[in-house]
Amino acid sequence: MDKANSKQNSIDDSKNEISTRAKELGIDFLEKSPKEISGESIGIISEEVAKRNKMITFDSDKEKIKVAIIDPQDIEALNTLRFISEKDEREIVLYLVSEEVFGEMLNFYSRPSEIVNKAVKSFTQDIKTNVTGAVLENGNDMNSREERIKDAPVSKLVQVIVSHAIDGHASDIHIEPMEGDFRVRFRVDGVLHMSLTIPKEIGPVVVSRIKILSNLKIDEKRKPQDGRFRIMHNGNPIDFRVSTLPVINGEKLVMRILDKDKGVGDVESMGLMGSAFSYVKEALQETYGMILMTGPTGSGKSTTLYGLLKILNNDERNIITLEDPIEYNIEGLNQSQIKPEIGYTFASGLRTILRQDPNVIMVGEIRDSETAELAVHAALTGHLMFSTLHTNTAIGSIPRLMDMGIEPFLLSSSLRLVMAQRLVRRICEKCKQEVKISSVVQEKILDEIRNVPSDELKKYDIDLSKDIIFFKGKGCDACNGKGLSGRLAIFEVVKVTDKMKNIIIENKGNESLITEERNRLGMLTIRQDGILKLLRGMTTMEEIERVTDSGIIE
C-alpha cells in the first residue's frame, strides 16, 4: 500500500512540475492523451519527424494546429513548426506534455486508419510512376497493381488490422465490399463494431493478401473458399480461420480468431451453476448415452462441449472428436478434422472411429439422418456421445431428431441430457454501479422467476425477501466506455427423466408435454437462468432481452 502511495505521489509531483513549467513558458499543459486524433490532424507531421523532434499534432481546424511537445525550446522542432505554419497559413498552438503522454499519443500513428492513408498514398504514387509504363501497356491491369503493392503498405495494413482485432479481444474480423468502399468490422463479445473504412481500390488487395496467407486461390472470386493461417502475436500463436464469399459488390472475407493461448475455460467460469451444473456432473458419470448441446451459430456450444471433455480427459479414457473445423487443440484428445470434399464426413468418420475403441466421442454437429442414426447407435453401445444440434430450445432437439428418422424407443434409451445456451455480455467490474429501475419492470422480472424453487434460488445465492439491487456498467477505459466486458453463458439444462422417456415413446416426443414435465420438476428455462444471473449482478436486462424472447423492456 505504501509503495502504491509513493508511486502516485511521484506521478503527482511530476505533473505539478510540468504544469509549473508550462505556466512559466506561457503555454497550456496537456495532462492526458486525447482519446481520438483524426487522421487529418496527425498526418500534418510524419511519424519520423514526430519521434525525432518529440512533438505531435493532435487537433486542427482552418485557423489553428494544436501541437503537443516535450521541449518547446528545441530550435529544430520550432523551425519545423514555423515551416508548417507558413505553408498551411495556420497558427501553431503549443501544449506541453510529459514523456509518458507523448508515448501514448505516438500509438495513433500505428492505427489502421493511418496505415490506410499510407497505403492509399503508395497506391496513388504507384499509378503516377507507372502511368506511361507497364501498367498502361497492360491495359491498366488491376492484377498488376495488386502484385506491386501487396507486399508493402497493404501488408502492413493487414498486420495492423489483425493486431488491433487481437488486442481488442475480437472473435471475428469482417472485411466487406460496399458500394463505394470496403468496411472492416470486429465482433467483440458477440456484437459487431465498426473499425475502419478502406478505399475501394485498396480493399481487393487486402483481401488478396489474406488469401495468399491462407493458401487460397487469389484469382478465384466466383465461389466461396475456406482456409487457415497462423501468426505469432506477442509470442503467442494465433490461428485464423478464413472464409470468403462472393457478394454483389465483390468478395466478402471473414476471419475467425482462434487464440490457442486462451485455451478452454472450465464450465463454471462460463456460467454453468445451480441444479443445471449438478445435472451435467451426473450425466458425465454415465458410461454411455448422449449429451446434446443446442443453440444458434456463435452461441458457444463447441466451447462448452470442450469444457465438458476437459472434465473427462484423463489417461483412462480414449476420447476422439470429429470436428469441422478443429478450433482448439487440447492435449490428451484425439481430434480429427473432417474433409467433405474427399468424402470424409461426420457420418463416415463416425463409422471409422467406432473401430478405434473410444470411451468418449464428440461429433461437431449432427447435420443429417445418417449421422444422427450412427450417433444414437454409438450412444447405445457403450460410448458417451457428445454433439451439437441447431434448434432454438433444448427440448426442441427431441422432435428434431425424430424428424431425422430416429425411432422413439432408441432416442429415449440413448438421450441423457439436452442443453441450450446463449452468450450475454458481462457487466464491467471496473465501473459496475447500482441502478434504479421502475417498479413495473421489477415486478415483471420477479414474475418470471416466481415458480423457481427456493432451493434453486439458494444455489444462486439470491434472497427475494431482501431488497433487490440491479447493476449496470457506467463505462470506463477498461471497457471502452461500453459498461460491458467479456461474456457469460446462460443455460437451459434438461435432464431426461423416466417420465420424459415415456412421453418420447408414447407421445412421439410431444414438445408441450415434455415442457410441462420440465416445469413441474423446476428445471430452469434459459431466460430464468439469465434473470437469476441478472439478479446476481452479472449481466443486464438489455442483454437478456437481446438473446431471448423480449417482453420486459418496451
Side-chain angles (χ1 to χ4, degrees):
M1 192 70 180
D2 290 340
K3 285 183 179 179
N5 289 334
S6 176
K7 185 178 179 181
Q8 186 59 48
N9 289 337
S10 176
I11 292 170
D12 291 341
D13 289 343
S14 177
K15 284 181 179 178
N16 291 335
E17 187 179 326
I18 298 171
S19 177
T20 302
R21 187 175 174 226
K23 288 177 182 176
E24 290 172 354
L25 293 168
I27 61 177
D28 288 328
F29 169 43
L30 189 65
E31 190 176 339
K32 291 182 179 179
S33 169
K35 287 189 175 180
E36 288 296 331
I37 300 179
S38 70
E40 183 184 354
S41 294
I42 201 169
I44 294 171
I45 296 177
S46 70
E47 186 175 2
E48 293 73 23
V49 172
K51 286 179 178 178
R52 185 172 66 244
N53 295 318
K54 294 192 174 182
M55 62 183 184
I56 187 168
T57 47
F58 64 93
D59 194 11
S60 61
D61 55 30
K62 292 181 180 179
E63 297 178 353
K64 296 178 182 178
I65 300 172
K66 295 181 179 180
V67 180
I69 190 166
I70 288 177
D71 183 5
Q73 295 174 315
D74 183 328
I75 300 299
E76 186 181 347
L78 293 175
N79 285 338
T80 301
L81 291 175
R82 191 176 295 112
F83 171 77
I84 292 170
S85 178
E86 290 172 358
K87 179 173 71 75
D88 290 2
E89 296 182 348
R90 287 188 282 182
E91 180 189 353
I92 301 293
V93 182
L94 295 180
Y95 289 77
L96 192 64
V97 290
S98 64
E99 292 268 6
E100 184 182 6
V101 171
F102 178 73
E104 291 175 9
M105 294 173 75
L106 280 177
N107 291 331
F108 284 96
Y109 281 109
S110 300
R111 292 203 167 186
S113 55
E114 298 314 308
I115 306 299
V116 168
N117 290 338
K118 289 180 183 177
V120 172
K121 286 178 183 176
S122 172
F123 192 86
T124 306
Q125 184 62 40
D126 183 70
I127 294 170
K128 287 178 181 176
T129 303
N130 294 281
V131 73
T132 58
V135 175
L136 191 61
E137 288 171 12
N138 291 331
N140 201 23
D141 184 60
M142 182 67 178
N143 290 330
S144 300
R145 282 184 281 165
E146 287 184 12
E147 284 298 316
R148 278 194 303 280
I149 69 169
K150 70 171 178 279
D151 293 322
V154 170
S155 180
K156 176 69 174 173
L157 174 58
V158 171
Q159 179 187 337
V160 171
I161 289 172
V162 163
S163 296
H164 275 262
I166 297 168
D167 293 339
H169 308 292
S171 60
D172 301 87
I173 303 170
H174 292 240
I175 301 176
E176 304 160 305
M178 310 305 286
E179 195 167 333
D181 52 35
F182 273 69
R183 177 175 66 177
V184 179
R185 295 189 291 172
F186 296 161
R187 187 177 295 280
V188 181
D189 293 337
V191 178
L192 279 170
H193 299 278
M194 185 70 179
S195 175
L196 77 155
T197 300
I198 300 175
K200 195 170 186 178
E201 65 269 25
I202 301 294
V205 194
V206 170
V207 171
S208 292
R209 177 63 183 163
I210 296 168
K211 287 168 79 173
I212 289 169
L213 290 172
S214 311
N215 291 320
L216 301 179
K217 297 176 182 177
I218 60 170
D219 58 341
E220 180 55 82
K221 301 177 183 180
R222 298 168 301 168
K223 64 182 183 181
Q225 295 187 76
D226 294 302
R228 296 173 77 101
F229 69 92
R230 173 179 288 191
I231 65 166
M232 296 298 291
H233 181 75
N234 296 331
N236 299 322
I238 309 288
D239 282 358
F240 292 83
R241 191 177 80 207
V242 179
S243 173
T244 68
L245 179 73
V247 292
I248 192 167
N249 291 312
E251 196 172 18
K252 172 175 174 164
L253 187 142
V254 175
M255 292 184 277
R256 166 66 56 89
I257 303 172
L258 306 170
D259 189 346
K260 304 285 183 184
D261 190 52
K262 287 182 180 176
V264 178
D266 60 86
V267 287
E268 284 182 277
S269 66
M270 294 174 195
L272 192 58
M273 57 199 303
S275 295
F277 190 29
S278 302
Y279 298 149
V280 169
K281 287 191 288 186
E282 188 180 324
L284 293 179
Q285 298 301 313
E286 299 280 355
T287 55
Y288 71 96
M290 183 184 287
I291 296 173
L292 281 180
M293 175 68 67
T294 72
T297 302
S299 60
K301 300 186 299 294
S302 297
T303 305
T304 299
L305 284 185
Y306 279 128
L308 299 181
L309 291 179
K310 275 184 69 177
I311 297 172
L312 297 171
N313 190 11
N314 59 41
D315 293 338
E316 298 172 0
R317 290 188 178 93
N318 178 18
I319 303 175
I320 304 179
T321 73
L322 283 174
E323 303 175 56
D324 183 26
I326 297 172
E327 296 196 6
Y328 297 100
N329 184 13
I330 302 175
E331 190 174 349
L333 269 58
N334 300 287
Q335 296 172 267
S336 183
Q337 166 74 55
I338 71 159
K339 295 179 181 176
E341 64 271 16
I342 60 170
Y344 184 41
T345 62
F346 282 124
S348 63
L350 191 46
R351 281 197 188 91
T352 302
I353 65 175
L354 286 173
R355 296 192 287 271
Q356 290 281 319
D357 187 31
N359 300 105
V360 180
I361 300 169
M362 194 265 269
V363 174
E365 184 185 342
I366 295 177
R367 295 176 179 171
D368 52 53
S369 301
E370 188 181 8
T371 308
E373 187 178 338
L374 288 166
V376 169
H377 173 73
L380 288 170
T381 53
H383 307 94
L384 196 55
M385 165 66 67
F386 295 83
S387 192
T388 70
L389 202 62
H390 283 277
T391 60
N392 286 326
T393 63
I395 292 172
S397 63
I398 295 172
R400 176 80 179 105
L401 285 170
M402 294 177 73
D403 286 343
M404 286 183 172
I406 304 301
E407 293 291 342
F409 71 93
L410 291 176
L411 186 58
S412 67
S413 300
S414 61
L415 204 56
R416 294 285 176 270
L417 195 79
V418 284
M419 305 169 63
Q421 85 171 56
R422 301 288 189 276
L423 294 175
V424 295
R425 290 179 289 179
R426 291 179 183 266
I427 296 173
C428 175
E429 292 296 329
K430 302 278 187 183
C431 59
K432 188 175 180 179
Q433 63 179 15
E434 292 183 23
V435 291
K436 290 182 179 180
I437 62 170
S438 70
S439 58
V440 175
V441 172
Q442 187 169 327
E443 186 60 33
K444 284 184 179 179
I445 290 171
L446 294 175
D447 190 54
E448 295 217 29
I449 58 168
R450 211 167 292 284
N451 296 324
V452 173
S454 57
D455 288 348
E456 192 69 39
L457 294 175
K458 285 180 184 176
K459 291 176 182 177
Y460 279 76
D461 195 25
I462 293 171
D463 187 353
L464 295 179
S465 64
K466 296 179 180 178
D467 289 339
I468 297 171
I469 301 171
F470 293 88
F471 295 91
K472 202 167 188 177
K474 184 180 179 182
C476 63
D477 291 340
C479 60
N480 292 321
K482 297 184 183 75
L484 300 160
S485 180
R487 288 198 282 182
L488 169 77
I490 57 175
F491 294 94
E492 176 185 355
V493 178
V494 179
K495 176 185 175 183
V496 181
T497 63
D498 289 339
K499 186 165 183 179
M500 288 182 189
K501 290 178 181 180
N502 289 334
I503 295 170
I504 292 172
I505 296 171
E506 296 171 8
N507 302 94
K508 296 184 178 180
N510 186 290
E511 201 168 340
S512 60
L513 290 176
I514 296 173
T515 301
E516 283 178 20
E517 176 64 6
R518 179 203 63 191
N519 295 341
R520 186 185 70 81
L521 295 170
M523 297 179 189
L524 299 181
T525 66
I526 200 166
R527 190 171 173 85
Q528 286 173 332
D529 181 53
I531 288 173
L532 293 182
K533 285 166 181 170
L534 163 72
L535 298 179
R536 280 176 58 93
M538 301 168 80
T539 187
T540 66
M541 197 63 232
E542 289 82 2
E543 283 297 295
I544 304 299
E545 292 285 303
R546 183 173 63 85
V547 301
T548 64
D549 298 330
S550 67
I552 289 178
I553 299 176
E554 296 178 353

